[in-house]
Amino acid sequence: MFQEYDIIVAGAGHAGCEAALAAAKMGSNVLLVTMNMQTIAQMSCNPAMGGIAKGQIVREIDALGGNSGIVSDKSMIQFRMLNKSKGPGMWSPRTQNDRNLFAQLWRASLEKSTVDIWQDTVISLIVSRGTVTGVRTAMGHEISARAVVLTSGTFLNGVIHIGEKQFGGGRISENKATGITEQLLSLGFESDRLKTGTPPRVDGRSLNYGKMEIQYGDEEIVGFSYLPVQKIAPQEQRNCWITYTSPEVHEILKTGFEQSPMYQGRIKGSGPRYCPSIEDKISRFADKDRHQLFVEPEGWDTVEIYVNGFSTSLPESVQYAALRTVPGFEQCKMFRPGYAIEYDYFPPTQLDFTLETKLIQNLFFAGQINGTTGYEEAACQGLMAGINAHRKVKQEEPVILKRNEAYIGVLIDDLINKGTDEPYRMFTSRAEFRTLLRQDNADLRLTELGYQIGLASDERYQLYKKKQEDVESCKTMLAQLPVEPSEIAGYLESVSASPLSEKTRAAKLLLRPEVEINALLDALPALRQRKSNFDPLVWEQAAIQLKYDVYIEKEKELVKKMATLEDLMIPETFDYHKLSSLSTEARQKLTRIKPRTLGQASRISGVNPSDVQILMVYMGR
């Protein structure tokens, strides 16, 4: 019934979809096994993509030739570029999405590809002599493959908690997956438990939006994809709203603490530090008398509302009573309650940088099984696991992104070197080279690589080459264009900038913090005539490179210094126990993680600078 596949992907969430499609586009025969074909690419939590640092990840996925950015753009109902008041290294795109349309578009993308899809549950792996050779399913099938990518999400021994109720499940109304954890433990893996949660969904018809602050989308819709994807017009966007909890809301929530699975110890796993439940917020931040709630529509043709910021596992009656005390929610009707879910994950220090497991050859992990949280973090791991699984079975060199090349590289490097004992979420602060890793230049950083490995299309590559040439043309034009003090005086005065005392060049004007490229294009007649010659994003890219050139060059110099450590390779079979001068903790962690380079060794938690110095001296011999 089944052929032997190059790659089997188990799980069709965000990681599984990216893994399957990437491997298929690159030329592998791929089977995607999912428990339910109706929930492929389900947005299990909030109906949104991107946000701070996460938006950079989606753009990187797109630049490499992945699909998340395209699907997000086609299903967006609102777009916002966050952090525009800060420098461009902090700008982060975010879309509010139509939940159902997002999933439909992902499924359509898979069905238009060569990916085979089979609805079933993977209950165990077939392993021979330390190498995975296929999977067994609940329907009794044994399916052979040269590599397997496991993207189990929150389904491994998942337990759902609502107040004192608890029942097995990977998502509400969906079964948990059993067998995989137990088998992997028997093969020598370590596992642990994590917890995440989701807020109640409410009927938008029952809300009083007049009591809330309105949140409009941006006038300029950039989106994620570097391809010319058809996007909504600014005036078509759906609004979101903001409201707040109050001391009264908090008091009602506290009445449910005795029945809370978190406070009664029924939940053992760690929850996401940066996306806590509402009951966690009012306990940890007892000095705050209110917390912000984002009221987000779930799509174009539904009244369902996602109450962002109200994640909870308290009893339904407590959730309902508390919600009805929130301004605008006095008459609210609840579609379904919030809940917490606890599930198995495998500490990612057990992986190589390709996301292949160290214990079992050709077995790859991606997504929440590695301890991450968020669609974007899962999707980028799926993409890299799909790429590397394909290249492993085709006997090609792996693709490993460095920390100075992509947020994806930062994420994977953090996971492998540091591990995580709580759901890992990406932030701009995690990236030491964030001036280089901007959302606006992901294509300039990664599309060449995506094209070389056969993932980025010819169309995408040609657009990248043209943008590269156009940006250089713009920079040359701005560097050469003379500006007389008199022709720019009015504009400089309007932005409270000091006047010019002598003739200068347009590029030098851009170095002033008050001067923005769009205003400069309108202020100078010579530029106004040429404004339409280039795409607005090309002008923006040229201006960023000119304005922040000093900072960009400083980071590049830092990258070169760091590269010294990154280039010092450590043999895979190196015996750290023979170096008695290393700390005991360093010997244990270096032996377990097996870093490839001294740079990676230096980022392992518990490995001190003195340990790195000892290794450096020894490697120098």
Side-chain angles (χ1 to χ4, degrees):
M1 181 173 173
F2 294 100
Q3 61 174 296
E4 180 181 11
Y5 286 92
D6 290 323
I7 297 166
I8 292 175
V9 178
H14 299 261
C17 287
E18 284 288 3
L21 190 59
K25 285 170 71 175
M26 294 168 73
S28 281
N29 296 320
V30 179
L31 176 66
L32 177 62
V33 183
T34 174
M35 296 168 72
N36 186 350
M37 286 182 64
Q38 308 311 312
T39 56
I40 288 173
Q42 176 92 329
M43 296 182 115
S44 308
C45 204
N46 61 322
M49 288 291 283
I52 295 170
K54 293 168 174 277
Q56 282 88 327
I57 289 175
V58 180
R59 298 214 93 185
E60 289 175 354
I61 291 169
D62 185 77
L64 284 164
N67 201 47
S68 289
I70 294 170
V71 170
S72 300
D73 284 357
K74 287 181 176 179
S75 62
M76 77 164 73
I77 62 175
Q78 189 192 79
F79 177 83
R80 295 179 67 221
M81 183 68 78
L82 307 183
N83 281 342
K84 280 289 279 188
S85 61
K86 300 179 180 178
M90 304 293 284
W91 298 354
S92 301
R94 182 185 190 272
T95 56
Q96 196 71 31
N97 293 88
D98 184 309
R99 181 189 300 278
N100 292 330
L101 181 57
F102 182 94
Q104 289 167 17
L105 289 166
W106 246 119
R107 178 167 168 173
S109 298
L110 291 165
E111 291 179 350
K112 288 174 185 173
S113 74
T114 60
V115 173
D116 287 347
I117 303 173
W118 177 249
Q119 182 170 294
D120 203 343
T121 302
V122 171
I123 58 170
S124 67
L125 306 168
I126 303 170
V127 179
S128 176
R129 297 179 182 177
T131 300
V132 70
T133 59
V135 301
R136 295 184 183 91
T137 75
M139 293 173 67
H141 297 289
E142 291 196 357
I143 312 173
S144 298
R146 299 169 67 191
V148 173
V149 182
L150 194 54
T151 67
S152 51
T154 59
F155 283 77
L156 291 183
N157 293 322
V159 176
I160 291 172
H161 298 264
I162 305 175
E164 294 181 321
K165 303 172 187 175
Q166 64 180 59
F167 44 91
R171 276 191 294 249
I172 199 78
S173 302
E174 293 185 60
N175 292 330
K176 63 182 178 180
T178 58
I180 296 283
T181 297
E182 293 73 17
Q183 182 190 19
L184 290 173
L185 289 175
S186 73
L187 290 169
F189 286 86
E190 298 173 14
S191 77
D192 208 337
R193 300 282 277 175
L194 289 178
K195 166 250 174 187
T196 189
T198 192
R201 308 317 200 263
V202 302
D203 187 338
R205 297 169 298 184
S206 65
L207 303 183
N208 182 354
Y209 298 102
K211 291 189 174 183
M212 307 179 203
E213 301 170 20
I214 195 164
Q215 188 177 52
Y216 299 104
D218 287 355
E219 282 297 315
E220 181 187 14
I221 294 179
V222 177
F224 291 113
S225 184
Y226 293 96
L227 291 175
V229 177
Q230 184 65 43
K231 302 178 181 74
I232 56 171
Q235 65 272 17
E236 294 173 338
Q237 297 179 87
R238 291 289 303 272
N239 296 325
C240 296
W241 293 268
I242 297 172
T243 188
Y244 298 87
T245 63
S246 65
E248 186 180 1
V249 175
H250 299 175
E251 288 306 311
I252 294 172
L253 290 168
K254 287 175 184 177
T255 66
F257 279 13
E258 287 188 2
Q259 298 165 282
S260 164
M262 184 170 66
Y263 290 105
Q264 296 307 312
R266 289 189 294 276
I267 293 178
K268 305 296 183 187
S270 302
R273 178 192 302 264
Y274 303 104
C275 190
S277 64
I278 188 67
E279 54 264 38
D280 203 14
K281 286 180 191 175
I282 63 178
S283 294
R284 283 166 51 188
F285 308 107
D287 57 319
K288 293 190 178 294
D289 59 9
R290 71 174 193 170
H291 294 283
Q292 197 172 48
L293 302 178
F294 294 92
V295 181
E296 301 176 342
E298 298 241 349
W300 292 114
D301 303 312
T302 179
V303 296
E304 190 171 350
I305 294 291
Y306 181 88
V307 190
N308 194 341
F310 206 87
S311 175
T312 181
S313 58
L314 293 174
E316 303 101 300
S317 58
V318 177
Q319 296 183 32
Y320 185 59
L323 270 178
R324 282 202 149 204
T325 316
V326 172
F329 280 69
E330 293 83 359
Q331 304 300 318
C332 89
K333 296 178 181 178
M334 204 156 64
F335 281 142
R336 60 184 184 275
Y339 62 89
I341 182 165
E342 198 176 12
Y343 56 95
D344 293 338
Y345 86 106
F346 290 81
T349 50
Q350 300 170 96
L351 303 177
D352 199 353
F353 285 87
T354 59
L355 298 182
E356 183 181 14
T357 67
K358 293 174 181 175
L359 285 174
I360 304 296
Q361 288 285 306
N362 295 6
L363 175 62
F364 295 77
F365 290 173
Q368 285 174 288
I369 190 173
N370 291 336
T372 59
T373 181
Y375 309 143
E376 304 83 1
E377 289 89 343
C380 74
Q381 290 175 73
L383 183 77
M384 298 311 296
I387 289 170
N388 283 314
H390 164 83
R391 292 179 72 83
K392 182 75 184 287
V393 301
K394 302 297 182 184
Q395 298 182 323
E396 296 173 348
E397 286 297 308
V399 174
I400 298 171
L401 295 172
K402 296 176 184 174
R403 295 182 71 92
N404 62 292
E405 293 176 324
Y407 271 87
I408 299 172
V410 174
L411 182 145
I412 294 175
D413 188 84
D414 278 355
L415 292 177
I416 306 311
N417 281 322
K418 300 175 182 176
T420 186
D421 56 8
E422 61 183 43
Y424 177 101
R425 179 180 177 180
M426 179 52 71
F427 290 102
T428 51
S429 58
R430 295 192 191 273
E432 60 271 45
F433 304 117
R434 56 184 173 271
T435 306
L436 297 178
L437 307 183
R438 307 184 309 276
Q439 60 83 31
D440 58 86
N441 70 349
D443 56 339
L444 302 180
R445 290 186 276 120
L446 298 171
T447 297
E448 182 87 44
L449 172 62
Y451 184 70
Q452 286 174 0
I453 64 175
L455 187 56
S457 64
D458 286 337
E459 178 191 10
R460 188 182 288 280
Y461 184 69
Q462 293 307 321
L463 286 169
Y464 147 73
K465 293 298 287 183
K466 185 176 188 307
K467 178 179 175 181
Q468 202 175 36
E469 292 166 4
D470 286 352
V471 167
E472 289 305 313
S473 296
C474 285
K475 286 169 65 178
T476 300
M477 184 189 306
L478 292 166
Q480 294 176 350
L481 184 71
V483 180
E484 295 288 347
S486 57
E487 61 180 328
I488 198 67
Y491 167 64
L492 293 178
E493 186 179 354
S494 72
V495 294
S496 303
S498 55
L500 282 182
S501 57
E502 58 185 20
K503 186 162 72 173
T504 190
R505 305 283 176 180
K508 197 169 181 181
L509 273 176
L510 276 172
L511 299 180
R512 297 185 174 205
E514 311 93 339
V515 177
E516 296 298 332
I517 185 62
N518 288 330
L520 192 65
L521 290 172
D522 291 331
L524 293 173
L527 288 179
R528 198 159 52 238
Q529 293 169 10
R530 306 177 199 179
K531 182 179 179 179
S532 61
N533 292 356
F534 300 104
D535 185 274
L537 294 179
V538 169
W539 283 111
E540 181 184 85
Q541 179 64 216
I544 289 170
Q545 290 186 21
L546 290 168
K547 187 182 281 284
Y548 297 94
D549 179 60
V550 173
Y551 303 99
I552 291 169
E553 288 304 314
K554 278 183 180 177
E555 280 205 356
K556 286 180 178 176
E557 284 300 313
L558 187 57
V559 168
K560 287 178 184 175
K561 289 178 182 176
M562 296 288 285
T564 305
L565 287 178
E566 298 297 340
D567 289 341
L568 289 172
M569 303 299 293
I570 302 175
E572 193 172 343
T573 56
F574 186 79
D575 182 5
Y576 295 97
H577 291 288
K578 68 185 179 184
L579 293 183
S580 58
S581 49
L582 287 175
S583 68
T584 302
E585 184 180 6
R587 286 200 301 273
Q588 290 172 348
K589 290 193 171 178
L590 289 165
T591 300
R592 180 160 53 93
I593 295 170
K594 291 185 172 63
R596 298 163 63 95
T597 68
L598 271 178
Q600 290 161 8
S602 71
R603 293 189 292 276
I604 296 173
S605 176
V607 176
N608 298 316
S610 58
D611 296 318
V612 176
Q613 285 293 118
I614 291 164
L615 284 172
M616 192 181 295
V617 170
Y618 191 88
M619 295 299 163
R621 292 176 186 165

mmCIF file of all heavy atoms in Angstrom, residues 169-185:
data_model
loop_
_atom_site.group_PDB
_atom_site.id
_atom_site.type_symbol
_atom_site.label_atom_id
_atom_site.label_comp_id
_atom_site.label_asym_id
_atom_site.label_seq_id
_atom_site.Cartn_x
_atom_site.Cartn_y
_atom_site.Cartn_z
ATOM 1 N N GLY A 169 -5.685 14.742 26.027
ATOM 2 C CA GLY A 169 -5.932 15.417 24.758
ATOM 3 C C GLY A 169 -4.727 16.215 24.312
ATOM 4 O O GLY A 169 -3.928 16.665 25.135
ATOM 5 N N GLY A 170 -4.594 16.361 23.007
ATOM 6 C CA GLY A 170 -3.506 17.170 22.458
ATOM 7 C C GLY A 170 -3.940 18.598 22.215
ATOM 8 O O GLY A 170 -3.139 19.527 22.214
ATOM 9 N N ARG A 171 -5.222 18.770 21.979
ATOM 10 C CA ARG A 171 -5.920 20.052 21.910
ATOM 11 C C ARG A 171 -7.333 19.756 22.383
ATOM 12 O O ARG A 171 -7.745 18.590 22.436
ATOM 13 C CB ARG A 171 -5.972 20.597 20.466
ATOM 14 C CG ARG A 171 -4.752 21.364 20.028
ATOM 15 C CD ARG A 171 -4.990 22.098 18.711
ATOM 16 N NE ARG A 171 -5.201 21.185 17.607
ATOM 17 C CZ ARG A 171 -4.347 20.997 16.593
ATOM 18 N NH1 ARG A 171 -3.210 21.639 16.570
ATOM 19 N NH2 ARG A 171 -4.635 20.161 15.610
ATOM 20 N N ILE A 172 -8.121 20.772 22.667
ATOM 21 C CA ILE A 172 -9.492 20.531 23.100
ATOM 22 C C ILE A 172 -10.227 19.735 22.019
ATOM 23 O O ILE A 172 -10.105 20.020 20.825
ATOM 24 C CB ILE A 172 -10.213 21.873 23.409
ATOM 25 C CG1 ILE A 172 -11.445 21.656 24.285
ATOM 26 C CG2 ILE A 172 -10.550 22.641 22.162
ATOM 27 C CD1 ILE A 172 -11.131 21.443 25.728
ATOM 28 N N SER A 173 -10.918 18.679 22.412
ATOM 29 C CA SER A 173 -11.684 17.803 21.519
ATOM 30 C C SER A 173 -10.816 16.961 20.587
ATOM 31 O O SER A 173 -11.311 16.444 19.584
ATOM 32 C CB SER A 173 -12.692 18.613 20.677
ATOM 33 O OG SER A 173 -13.571 19.327 21.515
ATOM 34 N N GLU A 174 -9.503 16.845 20.878
ATOM 35 C CA GLU A 174 -8.626 16.004 20.065
ATOM 36 C C GLU A 174 -7.818 15.073 20.968
ATOM 37 O O GLU A 174 -7.376 15.474 22.042
ATOM 38 C CB GLU A 174 -7.680 16.856 19.213
ATOM 39 C CG GLU A 174 -8.404 17.669 18.140
ATOM 40 C CD GLU A 174 -7.444 18.408 17.238
ATOM 41 O OE1 GLU A 174 -6.614 17.735 16.592
ATOM 42 O OE2 GLU A 174 -7.491 19.647 17.197
ATOM 43 N N ASN A 175 -7.621 13.844 20.519
ATOM 44 C CA ASN A 175 -6.955 12.833 21.327
ATOM 45 C C ASN A 175 -5.477 13.129 21.524
ATOM 46 O O ASN A 175 -4.828 13.767 20.681
ATOM 47 C CB ASN A 175 -7.098 11.453 20.680
ATOM 48 C CG ASN A 175 -8.528 10.950 20.711
ATOM 49 O OD1 ASN A 175 -9.287 11.293 21.620
ATOM 50 N ND2 ASN A 175 -8.909 10.149 19.726
ATOM 51 N N LYS A 176 -4.944 12.632 22.635
ATOM 52 C CA LYS A 176 -3.501 12.702 22.870
ATOM 53 C C LYS A 176 -2.809 11.586 22.074
ATOM 54 O O LYS A 176 -3.458 10.672 21.557
ATOM 55 C CB LYS A 176 -3.195 12.548 24.352
ATOM 56 C CG LYS A 176 -3.592 11.194 24.945
ATOM 57 C CD LYS A 176 -3.291 11.145 26.436
ATOM 58 C CE LYS A 176 -3.721 9.808 27.035
ATOM 59 N NZ LYS A 176 -3.440 9.738 28.478
ATOM 60 N N ALA A 177 -1.490 11.678 21.972
ATOM 61 C CA ALA A 177 -0.696 10.629 21.307
ATOM 62 C C ALA A 177 0.108 9.895 22.365
ATOM 63 O O ALA A 177 0.766 10.526 23.211
ATOM 64 C CB ALA A 177 0.228 11.251 20.273
ATOM 65 N N THR A 178 0.059 8.572 22.341
ATOM 66 C CA THR A 178 0.790 7.781 23.329
ATOM 67 C C THR A 178 1.729 6.805 22.619
ATOM 68 O O THR A 178 1.534 6.478 21.449
ATOM 69 C CB THR A 178 -0.184 6.984 24.224
ATOM 70 O OG1 THR A 178 -0.992 6.143 23.386
ATOM 71 C CG2 THR A 178 -1.082 7.917 25.017
ATOM 72 N N GLY A 179 2.716 6.357 23.345
ATOM 73 C CA GLY A 179 3.634 5.349 22.813
ATOM 74 C C GLY A 179 4.992 5.885 22.421
ATOM 75 O O GLY A 179 6.018 5.242 22.674
ATOM 76 N N ILE A 180 5.016 7.061 21.814
ATOM 77 C CA ILE A 180 6.291 7.617 21.324
ATOM 78 C C ILE A 180 7.236 7.926 22.485
ATOM 79 O O ILE A 180 8.424 7.547 22.465
ATOM 80 C CB ILE A 180 6.038 8.897 20.490
ATOM 81 C CG1 ILE A 180 5.232 8.582 19.232
ATOM 82 C CG2 ILE A 180 7.352 9.578 20.148
ATOM 83 C CD1 ILE A 180 6.019 7.955 18.127
ATOM 84 N N THR A 181 6.728 8.633 23.502
ATOM 85 C CA THR A 181 7.588 8.999 24.629
ATOM 86 C C THR A 181 8.205 7.763 25.261
ATOM 87 O O THR A 181 9.421 7.695 25.509
ATOM 88 C CB THR A 181 6.799 9.777 25.690
ATOM 89 O OG1 THR A 181 6.323 10.995 25.127
ATOM 90 C CG2 THR A 181 7.675 10.096 26.892
ATOM 91 N N GLU A 182 7.351 6.771 25.524
ATOM 92 C CA GLU A 182 7.803 5.567 26.204
ATOM 93 C C GLU A 182 8.884 4.847 25.392
ATOM 94 O O GLU A 182 9.886 4.362 25.944
ATOM 95 C CB GLU A 182 6.607 4.641 26.454
ATOM 96 C CG GLU A 182 5.588 5.189 27.448
ATOM 97 C CD GLU A 182 4.729 6.331 26.904
ATOM 98 O OE1 GLU A 182 4.680 6.516 25.666
ATOM 99 O OE2 GLU A 182 4.114 7.042 27.708
ATOM 100 N N GLN A 183 8.701 4.793 24.068
ATOM 101 C CA GLN A 183 9.704 4.143 23.229
ATOM 102 C C GLN A 183 11.017 4.919 23.244
ATOM 103 O O GLN A 183 12.098 4.336 23.368
ATOM 104 C CB GLN A 183 9.198 4.015 21.797
ATOM 105 C CG GLN A 183 10.208 3.303 20.885
ATOM 106 C CD GLN A 183 9.856 3.375 19.420
ATOM 107 O OE1 GLN A 183 9.064 4.219 19.005
ATOM 108 N NE2 GLN A 183 10.436 2.494 18.628
ATOM 109 N N LEU A 184 10.935 6.244 23.129
ATOM 110 C CA LEU A 184 12.149 7.056 23.104
ATOM 111 C C LEU A 184 12.901 6.962 24.431
ATOM 112 O O LEU A 184 14.138 6.932 24.456
ATOM 113 C CB LEU A 184 11.814 8.512 22.769
ATOM 114 C CG LEU A 184 11.363 8.769 21.326
ATOM 115 C CD1 LEU A 184 10.889 10.205 21.158
ATOM 116 C CD2 LEU A 184 12.492 8.463 20.332
ATOM 117 N N LEU A 185 12.173 6.894 25.539
ATOM 118 C CA LEU A 185 12.820 6.725 26.833
ATOM 119 C C LEU A 185 13.564 5.388 26.884
ATOM 120 O O LEU A 185 14.680 5.299 27.409
ATOM 121 C CB LEU A 185 11.791 6.792 27.960
ATOM 122 C CG LEU A 185 11.178 8.175 28.237
ATOM 123 C CD1 LEU A 185 10.084 8.074 29.283
ATOM 124 C CD2 LEU A 185 12.242 9.165 28.691
#
